[in-house]
């Protein structure tokens, strides 16, 4: 575990990218959709970017916008790119654990529908929210360069997970984190329905609802909020979610202009890693309530290393596997599929309880 020395305790600090939103326009709510309101004379946008409205989702949309502006001069003009905020099912229902809501694409469905209905031109997603299938009439030809895949430990009272006293409560909405945490530290309690955006979870921590929480380091970096991090868990301590830290950009399958725009932003190493991990998830049928983790990366020799994990929700049983091969699309997809088949075989039919639940759980 890597310590973040000198970092202060969690605080509700405004993310850096939001401090200057006035010059870009202010989001206004209209039913479930909010459109960035232009401060200058209204003009027709060349690209309308669809996104969720959380600070992290907006940070990812702004990152996409900035890369498009830097790459294509016609998009750098004022008003050429518009941000459209869309509220998803996952955003609307916060009182229940994700596993109990049901339905695939909890954080993507409404955005995909807006894309298909031509209300937006491209959709920006956190790849770990994207189901292993894509809706008809859409493609996802671009992954931006991946951020740090590791998980961050945040606490006001302990320097690391190992330092938490027995009986301490850790808040997380992730079955993946819960199972791996309880596997190594069975004396801890986990508050499962610890939901909300990053700011909300940090506020709950500050208010004493839990003694610690775990968050994706990628999100904290994108929000310029790493001062809240107590320490970082290595991937050996906590294997990340499939596609954690990766941003995906989708468009309509018949829109060559948008496909060319976003394909120019693609980071191929990230795209291949995500494809490998999603092949693993798809093989396991990640629609069950079983915690799943997967991580593909390039080693110092340029080869692909893939690590996969499934676990029981209570952490009493964890199955792991790994693969090594060429860092090439066909080889990496096969590695992911093969690893998934192995774990399915080792787990047996009883392991994947409630396997018909139509929900991606990370």
């Amino acid at each position: 575990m890597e310590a973040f020395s000198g970092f202060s305790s969690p605080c509700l600090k405004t993310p850096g990218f939001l401090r200057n939103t006035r010059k870009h326009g202010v989001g206004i709510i209209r039913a479930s959709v909010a459109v960035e309101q232009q401060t200058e004379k209204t003009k027709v946008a060349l690209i309308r970017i669809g996104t969720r409205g959380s600070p992290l989702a907006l940070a990812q949309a702004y990152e996409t916008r900035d890369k498009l502006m830097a790459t294509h001069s016609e998009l750098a003009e004022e008003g050429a790119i518009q941000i459209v905020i869309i509220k998803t099912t996952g955003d609307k229902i916060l009182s229940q654990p994700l596993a109990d809501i049901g339905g695939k694409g909890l954080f993507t469905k409404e955005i995909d529908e807006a894309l298909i209905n031509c209300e937006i031109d491209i959709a920006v997603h956190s790849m770990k929210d994207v189901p292993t299938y894509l809706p008809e009439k859409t493609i996802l030809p671009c992954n931006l360069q991946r951020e740090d895949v590791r998980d961050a430990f945040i606490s006001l009272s302990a320097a690391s997970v190992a330092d938490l006293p027995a009986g301490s409560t850790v808040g997380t909405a992730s079955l993946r984190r819960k199972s791996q945490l309880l596997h190594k530290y069975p004396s801890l309690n986990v508050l499962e329905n610890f939901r909300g955006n990053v700011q909300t979870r940090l506020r709950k921590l500050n208010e004493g609802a839990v003694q610690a929480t775990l968050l994706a380091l990628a999100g904290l970096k994108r929000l310029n909020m790493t001062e809240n991090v107590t320490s970082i868990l290595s991937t050996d301590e906590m294997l990340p979610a499939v596609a954690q830290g990766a941003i995906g950009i989708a468009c309509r399958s018949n829109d060559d202009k948008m496909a060319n725009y976003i394909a120019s932003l693609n980071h191929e190493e990230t795209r291949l890693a995500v494809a490998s991990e999603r092949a693993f998830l798809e093989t396991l049928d990640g629609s069950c309530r079983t915690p799943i983790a997967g991580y593909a990366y390039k080693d110092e020799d340029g080869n692909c290393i893939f690590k996969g994990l499934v676990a029981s929700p209570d952490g009493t049983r964890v199955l792991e596997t790994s693969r090594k091969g060429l860092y090439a699309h066909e080889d990496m997809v096969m590695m992911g599929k093969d690893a998934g088949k192995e774990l399915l075989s080792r787990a047996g039919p009883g392991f994947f309880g409630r396997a018909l639940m139509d929900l991606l759980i990370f």
Side-chain angles (χ1 to χ4, degrees):
M1 181 178 291
E2 177 183 330
F4 260 42
S5 59
F7 279 5
S8 62
S9 61
C11 62
L12 299 180
K13 184 177 179 181
T14 302
F17 81 95
L18 285 178
R19 294 181 196 130
N20 297 312
T21 51
R22 188 171 298 277
K23 68 179 181 181
H24 298 301
V26 179
I28 55 174
I29 301 294
R30 293 176 184 156
S32 293
V33 178
V35 179
E36 187 181 68
Q37 187 177 32
Q38 300 299 319
T39 56
E40 304 295 333
K41 182 172 68 175
T42 302
K43 63 181 291 185
V44 177
L46 297 177
I47 298 181
R48 296 164 299 170
I49 299 177
T51 177
R52 294 169 59 203
S54 71
L56 177 55
L58 285 172
Q60 296 177 165
Y62 282 126
E63 181 179 340
T64 301
R65 180 202 63 187
D66 292 347
K67 288 180 182 296
L68 285 168
M69 292 173 66
T71 308
H72 303 279
S73 58
E74 69 273 22
L75 300 180
E77 297 181 12
E78 182 73 28
I81 300 178
Q82 186 180 46
I83 305 291
V84 181
I85 300 172
I86 301 169
K87 202 163 190 178
T88 66
T89 301
D91 298 314
K92 296 172 186 175
I93 305 175
L94 295 174
S95 59
Q96 299 172 252
L98 291 174
D100 294 342
I101 299 173
K104 289 187 178 180
L106 288 173
F107 295 106
T108 59
K109 182 174 179 287
E110 287 81 1
I111 299 174
D112 289 332
E113 288 173 349
L115 180 62
I116 293 167
N117 294 332
C118 299
E119 296 168 13
I120 57 175
D121 300 301
I122 65 174
V124 177
H125 297 302
S126 292
M127 279 304 299
K128 70 176 183 176
D129 293 336
V130 178
T132 51
Y133 70 92
L134 295 177
E136 289 186 18
K137 303 179 181 179
T138 71
I139 56 174
L140 203 157
C142 172
N143 289 128
L144 300 186
Q145 184 170 0
R146 197 173 200 172
E147 246 301 354
D148 199 314
V149 302
R150 295 173 296 174
D151 286 301
F153 173 77
I154 305 175
S155 176
L156 300 174
S157 58
S160 67
V161 177
D163 290 337
L164 286 170
S168 297
T169 299
V170 180
T172 178
S174 164
L175 289 177
R176 171 189 64 86
R177 293 185 179 117
K178 173 187 175 181
S179 62
Q180 293 186 73
L181 193 65
L182 291 178
H183 182 68
K184 295 180 175 69
Y185 304 98
S187 66
L188 296 177
N189 297 318
V190 174
L191 179 61
E192 190 172 315
N193 191 29
F194 195 71
R195 295 189 54 206
N197 62 35
V198 171
Q199 289 78 6
T200 298
R201 293 188 223 188
L202 292 181
R203 176 178 54 77
K204 291 178 180 179
L205 175 64
N206 278 310
E207 291 172 351
V210 295
Q211 282 71 60
T213 189
L214 301 173
L215 295 172
L217 183 58
L220 294 167
K221 285 189 172 185
R222 290 190 173 117
L223 289 168
N224 296 318
M225 296 179 70
T226 53
E227 71 274 9
N228 296 290
V229 175
T230 306
S231 57
I232 299 174
L233 282 69
S234 72
T235 56
D236 290 330
E237 293 175 285
M238 180 72 67
L239 198 65
V242 165
Q244 182 155 308
I247 296 171
I249 310 175
C251 67
R252 289 180 291 277
S253 55
N254 64 353
D255 194 338
D256 292 340
K257 184 175 182 180
M258 292 301 141
N260 289 331
Y261 271 140
I262 61 180
S264 68
L265 306 184
N266 181 59
H267 186 257
E268 189 64 4
E269 183 177 326
T270 297
R271 188 184 75 86
L272 296 181
V274 167
S276 179
E277 294 164 19
R278 283 168 61 81
F280 171 72
L281 182 66
E282 183 177 21
T283 302
L284 288 168
D285 183 16
S287 60
C288 58
R289 193 184 160 86
T290 302
I292 298 170
Y295 178 39
Y297 63 95
K298 185 180 288 188
D299 69 10
E300 61 272 12
D301 297 321
N303 293 311
C304 174
I305 304 295
F306 176 84
K307 296 181 179 180
L309 174 153
V310 296
S312 58
D314 62 3
T316 55
R317 192 176 177 200
V318 172
L319 302 177
E320 299 178 78
T321 189
S322 63
R323 296 288 186 281
K324 181 176 181 178
L326 294 177
Y327 207 97
H329 185 270
E330 185 175 346
D331 297 82
M332 293 171 68
V333 168
M334 286 305 300
M335 275 190 275
K337 288 181 177 179
D338 188 60
K341 289 175 183 177
E342 180 200 325
L343 292 186
L344 276 175
S345 176
R346 287 170 56 192
F351 189 81
F352 294 90
R354 297 179 66 185
L356 296 179
M357 257 197 93
D358 226 3
L359 175 65
L360 281 169
I361 294 297
F362 299 120

